[in-house]
Amino acid sequence: MELRNVRLDDVDAYVRMRCDPAMMAELGGPQPADRMPDKVRRDVAEAEADLSWIQMIVPDPADPAEVAGSVVIWAHELAGTPISEIGWMVLPEYQGRGYAKRAVRQLLARARHERRWGEVHAFPGVGNAASNGVCRSVGFRLLGPTDTEYAGQTLRTNHWAMDPATDLAS
């Protein structure tokens, strides 16, 4: 498995991840498919400018067009305070194989190595056992449940945090 930057030809993967009701169940529901080409263009530009790390999970490095999902670290404000956040999605046919945990661990190891992002936060839905398990297994600390705004909706999430420089589990 390896990670690579998002590319313009990743629209199909975005549609499969972000427009599927099951994939988006914990994130307020599916997004419109016609918005995905523009979303990919914006994400490519953001990744190329090194504003965010928007990585596609590639199961087989010999076939970089095939993706299992994505993992992203970005900066934004939460209640007026700047934070770094990580999020991930793994397509159904790749779930349960450890791709999310490996991808999250790999991106956090890069953050530690590059001394970038500082403390990193994650906000999986309280009912998302798999994503909460990823947080626990890589060394995040559970700060507790919270309401999180995403795509114009309020979601009940668990708030996890870690400093990759000191907290990343091996």
Side-chain angles (χ1 to χ4, degrees), residues 60-84:
D60 179 2
D63 185 8
E66 179 186 356
V67 298
S70 64
V71 60
V72 180
I73 296 181
W74 71 100
H76 63 94
E77 286 195 3
L78 179 65
T81 303
I83 70 163
S84 298

Side-chain angles (χ1 to χ4, degrees), residues 26-28 146-157:
E26 294 281 340
L27 294 170
T146 189
D147 289 332
T148 302
E149 298 297 319
Y150 178 78
Q153 298 186 49
T154 302
L155 308 174
R156 193 68 176 159
T157 62

Side-chain angles (χ1 to χ4, degrees), residues 3 42 47 98 107:
L3 301 179
R42 289 192 318 269
L107 203 58

Side-chain angles (χ1 to χ4, degrees), residues 68-131:
S70 64
V71 60
V72 180
I73 296 181
W74 71 100
H76 63 94
E77 286 195 3
L78 179 65
T81 303
I83 70 163
S84 298
E85 183 173 343
I86 190 167
W88 55 90
M89 299 182 91
V90 175
L91 290 164
E93 64 269 28
Y94 295 99
Q95 292 175 5
R97 299 188 202 177
Y99 285 112
K101 183 163 75 171
R102 287 185 304 212
V104 167
R105 184 174 279 133
Q106 188 173 334
L107 203 58
L108 291 170
R110 178 181 168 197
R112 177 178 55 206
H113 177 75
E114 295 188 22
R115 299 176 193 261
R116 183 160 175 198
W117 303 106
E119 185 171 66
V120 176
H121 301 260
F123 298 92
V126 294
N128 189 333
S131 287

Side-chain angles (χ1 to χ4, degrees), residues 34 38-41 65 74 103 120:
D34 63 347
D38 187 52
K39 172 67 173 150
V40 170
R41 279 190 294 277
W74 71 100
V120 176

Side-chain angles (χ1 to χ4, degrees), residues 3-22:
L3 301 179
R4 66 157 170 79
N5 276 344
V6 62
R7 303 185 311 208
L8 291 174
D9 63 353
D10 287 322
V11 172
D12 182 60
Y14 269 53
V15 168
R16 293 190 60 226
M17 289 185 291
R18 296 170 177 264
C19 304
D20 179 86

